């Protein structure tokens, strides 16, 4: 265990004992869909958690002057906090000290501090960012979340199974995965460049170039699929890759046994990790024929002509450069 991971673990245990955070019991199950094994977590206690829709909570920002028992570390522009409502132990939040909007993209220092946490934790983490009103963000104050990954056989997060199937994958190249029926872009990071980045600015510059290149590619996909450019999106990052998924809606509705259930989906859903707040919701989720259909409802379905349009664009670019 690294020194940073030990600090996080000690802070989590102490905060739990002081009741500064709530370690929420949950049950987990798995369901195979679309080539990946989705992890479905059921945590009924979350149904009692206050939300931004509660009028009494409208003016409360938990990230300004947070409970000191939840502060793991103070950085120049950020705080590393423990998640007050933790389904996964040692769930971390990287929060801007100043109040900034969750509708903003990640900036260079956000990316740098996030990646340093991934490196220093010592065991696999998944970082994610819910950007915009349709992304599933629970707070308006800018924050990146990081959760420990404890899956079987080292295939984590679940989406990594499809990522590993990309043939002849090259660092820096932007891909879309055939088995995902919605618009997305994914990129392998160059660990050699990252290891060689001994200065903060070198790592910051590299991560920024990769992120904004990926963001440009996502907007290109939206143009080719005749979608608006102001879409919300979800962002996933491990030490190995970055992924972006534009969003059209925050919530999905599914039916089971003549009842309708509504779910708010955030970035974790696109990593293959779904959350339910009751056993009824869990049964409804398990009863779905294909969980990919749930993701398609809130993401942006591929335009069947998008591949042809992209090929024509590439030919036009090559002719222009010739």
């Amino acid at each position: 265990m690294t020194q940073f991971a030990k600090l996080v673990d000690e802070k989590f245990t102490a905060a739990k004992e002081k009741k500064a955070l709530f370690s929420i019991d949950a049950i987990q199950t798995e369901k195979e869909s679309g080539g990946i094994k989705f992890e479905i977590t059921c945590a009924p206690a979350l149904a009692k958690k206050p939300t931004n829709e509660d009028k009494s909570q409208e003016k409360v920002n938990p990230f300004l002057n947070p409970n000191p028992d939840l502060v793991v570390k103070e950085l120049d522009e950020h705080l590393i906090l423990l998640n007050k409502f933790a389904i996964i132990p040692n769930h971390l939040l990287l929060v801007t000290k100043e109040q900034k909007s969750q509708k903003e993209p990640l900036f260079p220092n956000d990316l740098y501090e996030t990646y340093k946490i991934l490196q220093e934790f010592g065991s696999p983490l998944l970082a994610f960012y819910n950007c915009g009103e349709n992304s599933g963000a629970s707070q308006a104050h800018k924050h990146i979340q990081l959760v420990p990954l404890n899956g079987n056989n080292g295939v984590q997060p679940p989406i990594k199974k499809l990522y590993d199937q990309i043939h002849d994958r090259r660092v820096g190249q932007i891909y879309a995965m055939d088995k995902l029926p919605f618009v997305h872009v994914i990129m392998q990071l160059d660990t050699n460049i990252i290891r060689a980045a001994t200065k903060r600015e070198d790592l910051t510059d590299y991560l920024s170039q990769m992120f904004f290149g990926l963001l440009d590619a996502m907007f290109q996909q939206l143009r080719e699929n005749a979608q608006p450019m102001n879409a919300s999106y979800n962002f996933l990052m491990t030490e190995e890759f970055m992924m972006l998924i534009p969003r059209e809606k925050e919530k999905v509705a599914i039916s089971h046994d003549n009842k309708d259930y509504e779910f708010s989906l955030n970035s974790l859903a696109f990593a293959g990790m779904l959350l339910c707040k009751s056993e009824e919701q869990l049964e409804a989720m398990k009863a779905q024929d294909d969980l990919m259909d749930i993701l398609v409802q809130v993401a942006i379905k591929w335009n069947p002509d998008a591949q042809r349009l992209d090929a024509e664009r590439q030919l036009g670019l090559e002719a222009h450069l010739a």
Side-chain angles (χ1 to χ4, degrees):
M1 181 180 288
T2 65
Q3 285 297 112
F4 177 66
K6 185 178 179 182
L7 172 64
V8 172
D9 198 55
E10 290 172 349
K11 289 280 188 178
F12 181 87
T13 300
K16 183 178 175 181
E17 289 174 353
K18 293 180 180 179
K19 301 191 185 309
L21 65 74
F22 303 95
S23 185
I24 296 171
D25 292 331
I27 57 174
Q28 288 188 327
T29 187
E30 295 179 338
K31 180 178 174 66
E32 186 89 22
S33 283
I36 68 173
K37 191 174 288 185
F38 281 83
E39 296 176 1
I40 308 174
T41 299
C42 180
L46 278 182
K48 301 176 183 178
K49 174 185 171 183
T51 70
N52 282 346
E53 295 174 0
D54 297 332
K55 292 184 179 179
S56 61
Q57 299 292 321
E58 283 179 353
K59 296 183 181 180
V60 175
N61 183 341
F63 301 149
L64 291 179
N65 302 313
N67 183 337
D69 291 326
L70 298 178
V71 179
V72 175
K73 193 173 182 180
E74 182 174 354
L75 307 171
D76 292 340
E77 298 179 8
H78 300 80
L79 293 173
I80 303 175
L81 306 178
L82 293 165
N83 186 357
K84 184 176 180 179
F85 300 96
I87 299 174
I88 302 173
N90 299 334
H91 181 163
L92 297 173
L93 308 173
L94 180 68
V95 177
T96 55
K97 286 183 179 179
E98 295 181 7
Q99 185 164 353
K100 296 185 179 180
S101 173
Q102 194 75 5
K103 296 180 181 180
E104 293 180 349
L106 294 175
F107 295 144
N109 283 340
D110 300 323
L111 292 161
Y112 172 82
E113 299 295 3
T114 301
Y115 202 85
K116 290 302 292 182
I117 294 173
L118 294 176
Q119 287 181 315
E120 293 175 5
F121 196 74
S123 56
L125 291 173
L126 172 67
F128 64 96
Y129 182 60
N130 306 313
C131 184
E133 60 185 13
N134 290 324
S135 66
S138 59
Q139 296 290 339
H141 185 131
K142 193 176 192 182
H143 64 289
I144 302 100
Q145 302 187 58
L146 301 101
V147 292
L149 295 171
N150 303 306
N152 298 323
N153 304 319
V155 181
Q156 274 290 347
I159 192 66
K160 188 175 183 296
K161 184 175 180 180
L162 296 187
Y163 166 78
D164 287 339
Q165 293 173 9
I166 299 173
H167 297 296
D168 300 323
R169 196 173 61 237
R170 291 181 294 167
V171 295
Q173 182 68 42
I174 297 171
Y175 298 94
M177 296 178 283
D178 292 341
K179 290 185 180 179
L180 295 184
F182 49 82
V183 175
H184 67 281
V185 284
I186 192 166
M187 172 196 291
Q188 179 176 336
L189 297 173
D190 192 330
T191 53
N192 290 326
I193 290 178
I194 290 170
R195 280 195 294 268
T198 55
K199 297 179 181 178
R200 177 182 178 126
E201 53 266 33
D202 293 339
L203 179 56
T204 302
D205 288 348
Y206 173 71
L207 293 172
S208 299
Q209 288 175 25
M210 296 304 100
F211 174 75
F212 285 105
L214 200 62
L215 197 61
D216 285 345
M218 184 190 79
F219 286 131
Q220 177 63 34
Q221 294 286 13
L222 289 174
R223 283 190 289 271
E224 291 174 0
N225 283 269
Q227 295 295 326
M229 295 296 104
N230 59 349
S232 301
Y233 60 84
N234 293 129
F235 172 70
L236 301 169
M237 180 167 69
T238 67
E239 287 190 79
E240 189 176 354
F241 66 83
M242 291 180 177
M243 182 177 182
L244 284 169
I245 309 99
R247 294 285 297 273
E248 190 169 34
K249 296 190 299 183
E250 178 194 354
K251 297 180 179 181
V252 62
I254 63 175
S255 298
H256 177 62
D257 281 349
N258 298 316
K259 289 186 179 180
D260 294 327
Y261 300 91
E262 190 174 65
F263 299 86
S264 174
L265 301 184
N266 68 12
S267 297
L268 287 181
F270 293 91
M273 302 160 75
L274 296 164
L275 178 64
C276 303
K277 297 181 181 179
S278 72
E279 291 189 15
E280 282 188 327
Q281 287 186 347
L282 175 60
E283 292 305 313
M285 191 76 75
K286 288 163 58 177
Q288 300 306 299
D289 291 334
D290 188 348
L291 293 177
M292 284 293 180
D293 292 340
I294 292 175
L295 302 186
V296 170
Q297 287 187 49
V298 296
I300 294 170
K301 193 171 183 179
W302 287 113
N303 179 342
D305 293 327
Q307 202 167 29
R308 176 181 59 79
L309 292 171
D310 184 51
E312 290 175 356
R313 179 178 59 84
Q314 292 288 353
L315 285 173
L317 179 62
E318 290 169 6
H320 177 72
L321 294 174

